[in-house]
Amino acid sequence: MSTDPYWNHNTHYHPWILEQVPAHARTALDIGCGDGLLARKLATRCDAVLGVDIDENVLATAPSAPNVHLEKADFRDLDDTFDMVTAVATLHHVPIRDGVAALRHLVAPGGTLAVVGLWKMHPLTDIHYLPLIPAIRGLDWWRRGRRGGPGATVRDPQETLAEIRAVAAELLPGARIHRRLMWRYTLVWRRPR
């Protein structure tokens, strides 16, 4: 059982993200870091972690941790590169092409990008997802006592999964995107050296 202080549809994917961290990773960037929960986990694998979020109120709730620096910033304004870049439930807050282009720029040669995102669902194109709803509701019920998280800004996604795949194919050649439970998709891309 996880020792996390809370569980939600985003923290559910933290183990998957940590599996993507390359063995050589020394630096990490967590975009939309909120209270720094994932950033603190990344610090167990990397020497230095930067977490950025545009919500200074949620950043103020973050406990301090060794090797973790959190700051108010828009990831599209950053210039550095990192061995590991993560974005959980963040990419749909910006125009998809701008967001993916910025993410590509932030990944160091040989580095990895791991995204857990949301897409705009439609009953006709996502009909095969409907049978999964009971499993999602069951997981929510099972975790009901631990649900929570920082009070982050919520926004409905605007792009369909097909639109996200098209932008990723163009800007992140070789990226792997998979539809997941809880209305999430995962994207992993390794930048060539």
Side-chain angles (χ1 to χ4, degrees), residues 33-105:
C33 66
D35 65 359
L37 181 60
L38 179 57
R40 293 189 300 278
K41 292 176 184 179
L42 288 167
T44 66
R45 310 272 178 107
C46 300
D47 298 332
V49 178
L50 172 62
V52 297
D53 203 298
I54 59 170
D55 186 339
E56 59 191 336
N57 292 327
V58 76
L59 284 170
T61 69
S64 62
N67 305 327
V68 175
H69 175 73
L70 304 180
E71 67 182 50
K72 182 179 188 269
D74 184 322
F75 73 97
R76 295 171 294 174
D77 297 331
L78 300 177
D79 290 326
D80 292 335
T81 61
F82 302 83
D83 300 321
M84 182 70 191
V85 176
T86 64
V88 178
T90 302
L91 190 54
H92 68 283
H93 287 264
V94 299
I96 188 68
R97 181 169 294 284
D98 294 348
V100 171
L103 291 173
R104 179 184 64 192
H105 172 74

